[in-house]
Every structure is written in structure tokens, then in C-alpha cells.
């Protein structure tokens, strides 16, 4: 499996098969807690507070229906229970170490536990990602040609009123934006640039947002 971020979405390839880069529907089925995310613009969540990730290789139409010719990515998030859990995460990264720049960081937090023991449990998690990117615009003399901000949040309310009942209400929210969105460059001609630069007057990309409840 190979996953490549392409602008405001990600392109997932399994066994060499993927959808066309500008297609709305991927050849890889993408599920979070059994909820299908068929559009490629919804398939770029940050992975946080995850119980497990399942990769099913090859056509999965029998189990998952259409848009799963290459396979399926099934993400299962962590369920809240009678155990109190908390976690804080931070990460920093550098693209241009020659000039001592620190253009990126990631912050995340997760908290879960019982509201009523054996009956009601709640879990909340959120993550923020911010980077200046590794591309420089020579046209604008701007080092933030692939500036990106992304927020992901989740709330999970779980009800277990009896042994045979396990009811979950999950709310997800995602907001992703690229202020300049530069990731394409000329490889020849008058505007030819090196791998980490571009030289064209690209317009800002729109903000991508999605939310849902199950």
C-alpha cells in the first residue's frame, strides 16, 4: 500500500491500482468505524486515537460494494469504556535544516472515561497540524508555497444500558486548508526550477472541511 498526499486530498494505491488523480471516487474503499468515505477529499484524516487499521488487499466488492477494486482501508477508532485514559502528543519537524528553519509542528490530545460506570462512556480527541511546507515560490519569493493547516476532532458517546446493547454516537470534524497550495513545478523551459521550488503565480487553494455523525 502506498499513500500520497495530493493537494487537499490523498491518493491511496494498493497493489499498484488507484483512482485517477482527479477522480472523485477512489479505487480503494476507505472506512472509519464502518462508515464509508467514498470521496477522495474526505480521505485525508490525521491518524489519532486509533485502535487498529485493517488493510484488505484486492477486490472487496462482496463485502464492501463498489469503489473497492484495489482493496479497502478500514480504520477502527478507540472506544471509550470504564477505564480513564488521557494522552498528549507534540511533534516538530524541519525541512530546511541548512537555514535553521522549523516550519512544522503537530499537537494532539485525547481523553476518555466513564460518565456512568458500565452505562455511559465518553471519549474526545483532537489534533492540529501546521506546516510551512518544503516548497519555495521563486515567483513570489515566498518560502511558504505549500503552507498547510489541518484540524481533526472526534467525540464518541457510548451507551451500554444492558449486556446485549452497545450504542455509539460518533461525531467527526475535519478542516484542511492550503493558503498557497504549491506542489507543482516546471521541469524544463524558462520557468524550470529545482525539486523544492516553483515559479508560477499560483492562486490560493480553497479550504476543505467535512463533518459527520454516526
Amino acid at each position: 500500500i502506498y499513500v500520497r498526499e495530493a493537494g487537499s486530498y490523498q491518493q491511496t494505491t494498493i497493489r499498484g491500482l488507484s483512482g485517477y488523480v482527479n477522480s472523485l471516487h477512489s479505487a480503494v474503499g476507505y472506512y472509519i468505524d464502518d462508515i464509508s468515505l467514498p470521496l477522495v477529499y474526505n480521505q485525508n484524516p490525521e491518524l489519532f486515537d486509533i485502535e487498529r487499521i485493517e488493510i484488505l488487499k484486492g477486490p472487496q466488492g462482496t463485502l464492501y460494494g463498489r469503489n473497492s477494486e484495489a482493496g479497502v482501508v478500514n480504520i477502527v477508532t478507540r472506544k471509550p469504556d470504564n477505564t480513564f485514559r488521557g494522552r498528549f502528543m507534540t511533534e516538530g519537524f524541519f525541512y530546511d535544516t541548512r537555514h535553521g528553519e522549523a516550519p512544522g509542528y503537530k499537537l494532539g490530545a485525547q481523553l476518555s472515561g466513564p460518565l456512568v460506570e458500565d452505562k455511559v462512556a465518553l471519549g474526545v480527541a483532537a489534533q492540529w497540524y501546521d506546516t510551512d511546507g518544503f516548497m519555495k515560490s521563486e515567483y513570489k519569493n515566498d518560502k511558504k508555497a505549500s503552507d498547510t493547516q489541518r484540524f481533526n476532532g472526534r467525540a464518541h458517546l457510548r451507551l451500554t444500558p444492558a449486556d446485549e446493547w452497545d450504542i455509539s454516537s460518533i461525531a467527526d470534524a475535519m478542516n484542511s486548508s492550503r493558503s498557497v497550495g504549491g506542489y507543482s513545478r516546471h521541469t524544463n523551459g524558462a520557468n524550470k526550477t529545482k525539486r523544492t521550488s516553483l515559479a508560477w503565480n499560483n492562486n490560493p487553494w480553497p479550504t476543505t472541511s467535512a463533518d459527520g455523525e454516526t
Side-chain angles (χ1 to χ4, degrees):
I1 181 170
Y2 172 71
V3 180
R4 179 177 71 91
E5 185 172 350
S8 58
Y9 62 94
Q10 72 181 24
Q11 186 179 22
T12 304
T13 303
I14 296 180
R15 288 183 169 179
L17 182 62
S18 65
Y20 179 62
V21 65
N22 288 327
S23 63
L24 288 177
H25 295 275
S26 171
V28 177
Y30 205 94
Y31 290 79
I32 299 181
D33 293 324
D34 293 325
I35 301 300
S36 174
L37 301 180
L39 303 182
V40 293
Y41 295 99
N42 297 138
Q43 296 178 2
N44 59 352
E46 297 290 332
L47 298 179
F48 64 104
D49 199 26
I50 300 297
E51 179 180 308
R52 69 182 186 274
I53 300 176
E54 302 170 348
I55 308 296
L56 288 74
K57 299 177 292 184
Q60 301 296 326
T62 301
L63 296 176
Y64 289 93
R66 65 178 184 176
N67 301 319
S68 59
E69 297 89 345
V72 165
V73 177
N74 185 35
I75 300 174
V76 180
T77 62
R78 191 181 304 277
K79 293 182 178 180
D81 51 29
N82 283 329
T83 302
F84 282 102
R85 296 185 180 91
R87 184 169 67 97
F88 176 78
M89 180 272 292
T90 181
E91 177 182 326
F93 37 90
F94 300 80
Y95 287 121
D96 191 357
T97 56
R98 292 173 302 171
H99 299 91
E101 297 178 356
Y105 67 91
K106 184 183 291 186
L107 299 173
Q110 175 268 331
L111 182 65
S112 66
L115 298 180
V116 179
E117 190 170 355
D118 295 327
K119 300 295 183 182
V120 183
L122 176 66
V124 292
Q127 188 164 267
W128 173 258
Y129 169 84
D130 192 309
T131 177
D132 292 345
F134 59 89
M135 296 294 289
K136 175 183 178 181
S137 172
E138 296 183 0
Y139 183 91
K140 298 180 178 181
N141 193 26
D142 185 1
K143 294 183 178 180
K144 299 182 179 181
S146 54
D147 180 33
T148 303
Q149 295 83 38
R150 183 175 298 141
F151 169 79
N152 291 82
R154 182 186 307 117
H156 187 157
L157 180 64
R158 185 183 182 190
L159 307 177
T160 53
D163 292 340
E164 62 272 18
W165 288 91
D166 192 338
I167 306 170
S168 289
S169 178
I170 305 171
D172 279 287
M174 182 269 290
N175 185 284
S176 179
S177 66
R178 280 176 171 254
S179 61
V180 182
Y183 62 94
S184 300
R185 67 184 181 93
H186 294 282
T187 58
N188 52 56
N191 292 322
K192 177 182 178 180
T193 61
K194 59 183 182 181
R195 294 180 60 128
T196 57
S197 300
L198 53 86
W200 53 286
N201 186 21
N202 54 322
N203 295 320
W205 283 77
T207 296
T208 300
S209 61
D211 58 79
E213 185 175 341
T214 61

